[in-house]
Amino acid sequence: ECDIIISVIAPKEERIKRIMARDNLTSAEAEARIRSQKSDEFLKAHSHYLIYNNTTNEALISQVAEICRLILK
């Protein structure tokens, strides 16, 4: 149903920290949430583009801009 699928992935430890801070969850609750989601391997296999959210905001913005440029081409 989608023409283009873009997925964002980050290291598990970073995702746990972000979930805990954002949603005020325990580490175990954050890990359970991650386990209920599609794996990185699934996302890599089923996405047209991947965004790696594991460094700076500038790097993230750069990746998004490049994907936009490619899609609009």
Side-chain angles (χ1 to χ4, degrees), residues 33-62:
R33 182 173 292 176
I34 290 171
R35 281 193 307 274
S36 73
Q37 299 172 346
K38 300 290 186 192
S39 69
D40 286 355
E41 292 73 27
F42 177 91
L43 296 174
K44 289 175 185 178
H46 293 87
S47 299
H48 296 97
Y49 299 98
L50 286 172
I51 296 172
Y52 294 91
N53 188 7
N54 58 353
T55 59
T56 65
N57 284 341
E58 291 78 17
L60 181 67
I61 291 167
S62 176

Side-chain angles (χ1 to χ4, degrees), residues 7 12 31 45 47 63:
S7 296
K12 182 179 177 182
E31 287 190 48
S47 299
Q63 290 178 78

Side-chain angles (χ1 to χ4, degrees), residues 11-24:
K12 182 179 177 182
E13 299 77 25
E14 186 63 31
R15 288 186 286 168
I16 290 170
K17 284 190 239 177
R18 291 173 184 171
I19 293 168
M20 290 172 63
R22 183 189 65 218
D23 299 338
N24 198 31

